[in-house]
Amino acid sequence: YTSYTELSRDDVLAIKDYLFSLPPVKQANPQNDLSFPFNQRWGMKFWNLAFFHEQRFAPDLNKDEQWNRGAYLATALGHCGECHTPRNLGFGLNQSKHLSGEVVQGWFAANITPDKQTGIGGWSDQQLSQYLATGHAPGRSSAAGPMAEAVENSLQFLTPEDNLALVKYLRDIEPIAGDGAAAVNLQPKGAGASSPILPGGQDSSLGRRVFANDCSGCHQWNGPGRQSEYASLVGSTAVNDPQGRSVVQAILKGTSISIGDRHEMMPAFGSAYSDEEVAAVANFVVGHFGDKQGNVTAKQVAEQRKQ
């Protein structure tokens, strides 16, 4: 509701009309299982005083209609900031770091400001538009986890005009530099020295052996993906994160996305490998496809299993 407050009255009523058109289902609501103090609803009065700003979306008169439409889509309707904006100590959005990246359910919701090194500043308009419409940008990332859900359930249905408006807005906001250690390397040495079926170098690590067993068949050693471009790894934000957060989540939980009649998925391997093995293969992926020193630990994997 901290984002929906910006919706126009017409859009609120349109959502109400849609919800009331659905067939009724008699279903008991689940019991509140939040732990103390989060189960104390009276505390929301104080949280709202500090972090909730009740107001309709106000267009920026210094920007054109397309930019303002993109801003409305990104803030009120799409509420991109609810995942991509860091939160402060009170769990409110830190608007000084708007859209600069945050961790959600163990996945890294990347920096989507136009910073050239750690954001989307190096992406072309076509790449960004295609990512929003299909969940995959050639030469860049494929959507996974909660972002795949956002594309599957929402963003793929944008009109071409709204897609371009959202692209324009995201390209024209303040760039915020993220962690420079996670800057995307488009020409990683490990992948560049490999062929689709044979790895380069003489690495005999545990991570490489695990990758050979269950990963190389789909992703390939040089990273373009064999059966699907959604399996490509070179240029991915996830494999350039030294903490390997989204890589670990994808290994543990798998991921899937449906675009139109097309369904893409990666199976979960959490039950097949120990925390140590998952950490090892995540660090190998980060090193081989991102040219980064991965620092994933078995303890981190164990914690992410719970999320």
Side-chain angles (χ1 to χ4, degrees):
Y1 66 91
T2 56
S3 290
Y4 292 149
T5 186
E6 296 192 59
L7 286 172
S8 70
R9 178 178 175 81
D10 287 345
D11 282 347
V12 171
L13 293 177
I15 292 172
K16 175 183 179 292
D17 285 344
Y18 167 71
L19 292 175
F20 276 56
S21 74
L22 300 176
V25 177
K26 189 173 183 179
Q27 172 81 10
N29 290 325
Q31 292 295 315
N32 185 344
D33 60 359
L34 290 173
S35 60
F36 183 84
F38 303 108
N39 60 354
Q40 303 298 304
R41 293 189 64 85
W42 58 266
M44 290 304 299
K45 295 179 180 179
F46 300 101
W47 191 91
N48 286 333
L49 283 173
F51 303 118
F52 178 48
H53 306 290
E54 184 179 357
Q55 58 187 16
R56 300 275 190 208
F57 173 80
D60 186 337
L61 300 180
N62 294 316
K63 301 290 186 178
D64 63 21
E65 183 178 353
Q66 185 185 38
W67 187 97
N68 277 295
R69 177 61 178 171
Y72 180 73
L73 291 167
T75 54
L77 276 174
H79 50 274
C80 304
E82 299 292 345
C83 287
H84 289 275
T85 298
R87 294 186 179 270
N88 55 37
L89 290 176
F91 298 100
L93 295 179
N94 183 350
Q95 296 295 355
S96 68
K97 296 183 178 181
H98 182 55
L99 301 182
S100 63
E102 178 62 297
V103 178
V104 179
Q105 299 171 16
W107 299 83
F108 178 54
N111 182 344
I112 55 172
T113 74
D115 181 72
K116 290 188 178 298
Q117 297 300 317
T118 59
I120 59 171
W123 292 41
S124 68
D125 287 354
Q126 183 177 3
Q127 285 175 323
L128 187 53
S129 176
Q130 187 165 339
Y131 183 87
L132 293 171
T134 70
H136 174 73
R140 291 289 182 171
S141 291
S142 296
M147 189 63 206
E149 294 178 14
V151 176
E152 177 178 329
N153 297 318
S154 179
L155 294 171
Q156 69 166 311
F157 302 110
L158 290 175
T159 64
E161 294 77 16
D162 279 350
N163 176 291
L164 294 178
L166 186 52
V167 169
K168 181 170 185 175
Y169 170 74
L170 292 174
R171 304 284 280 179
D172 192 41
I173 59 176
E174 180 184 356
I176 300 175
D179 182 3
V184 173
N185 185 336
L186 296 176
Q187 296 180 316
K189 296 177 183 177
S194 303
S195 72
I197 60 173
L198 292 173
Q202 301 298 316
D203 178 15
S204 60
S205 67
L206 172 61
R208 176 169 165 167
R209 296 198 300 273
V210 173
F211 187 87
N213 288 339
D214 275 323
C215 310
S216 61
C218 288
H219 295 290
Q220 301 182 297
W221 290 99
N222 59 344
R226 181 169 65 89
Q227 293 138 317
S228 168
E229 67 271 19
Y230 284 79
S232 62
L233 293 177
V234 174
S236 164
T237 301
V239 304
N240 281 272
D241 173 18
Q243 299 179 62
R245 292 161 290 193
S246 292
V247 173
V248 169
Q249 286 298 93
I251 295 169
L252 291 176
K253 312 291 177 61
T255 185
S256 67
I257 187 171
S258 293
I259 303 297
D261 295 329
R262 183 175 183 179
H263 182 70
E264 302 286 345
M265 62 89 64
M266 172 179 164
F269 291 94
S271 62
Y273 289 109
S274 68
D275 294 342
E276 290 76 12
E277 289 168 327
V278 173
V281 71
N283 284 327
F284 172 77
V285 167
V286 168
H288 189 79
F289 297 103
D291 248 358
K292 308 290 193 303
Q293 180 64 51
N295 53 32
V296 181
T297 64
K299 180 181 179 182
Q300 174 188 334
V301 175
E303 291 173 349
Q304 289 193 223
R305 280 188 191 274
K306 303 173 185 177
Q307 294 176 325

